[in-house]
Amino acid sequence: MLIPSDALPHFENAIYLPMVLTILAKDRQLVEKGSFKLASPYMKVIDRAIEAVQKDMKESADYLRERKYKLLRGTVDDTFTSYTFLYCGREEQRRYLNVRLKNRTEELMELYLMK
């Protein structure tokens, strides 16, 4: 049995959105401490993106918790990061290319910053 198709986006949000949030928080600090003439507009854009990411993370966390699904991060090496998906009494291992994790995180950051 494969991961239910409606659950996969929530599992992937649990992988990617914390990374997006971490990067946005670090970038916000850089803008705050940076030598921008007018930092406020940048801060507002980042703050809106952070709020949207947090909202989506909460929705996915609620979805997974209600169904008693879990995501566990496994081993990390130079090439792959492994995750264990626990659902419906089953366990599935998946390995994600680190380059893919980086690229998808970047894509999501663009989407959230453009909202």
Side-chain angles (χ1 to χ4, degrees):
M1 178 173 156
L2 294 173
I3 294 172
S5 60
D6 60 322
L8 190 57
H10 295 287
F11 275 118
E12 293 204 331
N13 279 350
I15 293 171
Y16 292 110
L17 295 186
M19 289 189 264
V20 171
L21 192 60
T22 299
I23 293 166
L24 287 172
K26 286 181 182 178
D27 288 352
R28 187 185 190 288
Q29 288 178 340
L30 291 173
V31 170
E32 197 171 34
K33 295 175 183 174
S35 59
F36 290 83
K37 288 260 190 214
L38 299 169
S40 179
Y42 298 105
M43 300 284 280
K44 287 178 183 173
V45 169
I46 294 171
D47 287 343
R48 277 195 302 269
I50 287 172
E51 287 173 16
V53 170
Q54 288 172 332
K55 178 182 173 280
D56 290 348
M57 278 177 61
K58 182 183 179 335
E59 287 175 8
S60 287
D62 290 347
Y63 176 95
L64 295 172
R65 186 176 37 259
E66 288 166 6
R67 288 157 182 79
K68 296 182 172 77
Y69 295 172
K70 288 192 181 207
L71 174 74
L72 303 174
R73 186 172 180 201
T75 59
V76 179
D77 62 31
D78 291 341
T79 309
F80 292 98
T81 301
S82 67
Y83 292 91
T84 302
F85 296 74
L86 303 169
Y87 61 96
C88 306
R90 298 185 184 272
E91 185 176 305
E92 183 175 325
Q93 303 282 329
R94 288 191 175 198
R95 290 173 21 138
Y96 286 76
L97 271 170
N98 293 335
V99 170
R100 174 67 182 136
L101 291 170
K102 177 188 173 289
N103 291 341
R104 181 64 181 147
T105 300
E106 195 171 318
E107 290 169 10
L108 288 169
M109 279 188 64
E110 284 183 33
L111 289 172
Y112 282 103
L113 288 168
M114 300 293 183
K115 282 187 177 181

